[in-house]
Amino acid sequence: MHISESTILRMLANKDTQRQAFTIIVQQYSRQLYCTVRRMVLVHDDADDVIQNTFLKAWKSLPDFEGKSKISTWLYRIAVNEALDFLRKKNAYSVVSGDEKELLGVYSRLLADEYFDGDQAEAKLHAAISQLPDVQRTVFQMKYFEEMKYSEISKILGTSQGALKASYHLAVKKISEFLKKERIE
């Protein structure tokens, strides 16, 4: 059962129902956040860790949430930042160097992950996405996989819609070039 945002906000404002409201938030948003984070970090166990950190951070910052943005926007912002921090710590951006060995590592990790249900073409697509700079990667994933509108991505990332469109266009171009080079298109 889906609880409306206005009901959740009322529950959050009341100390007696705050914990219950947060449980509802976790239930309603964890799956979609997981999908976004999973596409960013690629591996199921890593995505689970990032989602757990996301909800911990959300719980701790709950008193600061004023309800000026949608709950989903607030959570996406936390989740995307947590995923980017996780990737920085894991030095996942070293793939950008174009080193084939590292790119092959992304591809191999995906195919070895028991929760990955894609084929080799999808694994190569994710390998191509992983070589993008973080902003382009994030924008591409939110637009392409999550089918978010630029206005929503803009609120989550705090970037202008024009800059997001440019990032998406560049990401598509780089992915296309990568796949042409890999002869998968």
Side-chain angles (χ1 to χ4, degrees), residues 14 18 52 55 69 96 99 114 123 128 136 157 174:
N14 182 341
Q18 211 172 47
Q52 184 177 27
F55 284 117
S69 65
V96 175
D99 186 279
E114 68 182 280
Q136 289 175 16
L157 298 180
K174 289 176 183 178

Side-chain angles (χ1 to χ4, degrees), residues 1-8 11 24 28-29:
M1 172 170 53
H2 184 80
I3 308 292
S4 73
E5 177 129 350
S6 59
T7 301
I8 294 171
M11 291 173 73
I24 293 168
Q28 286 189 189
Y29 295 101

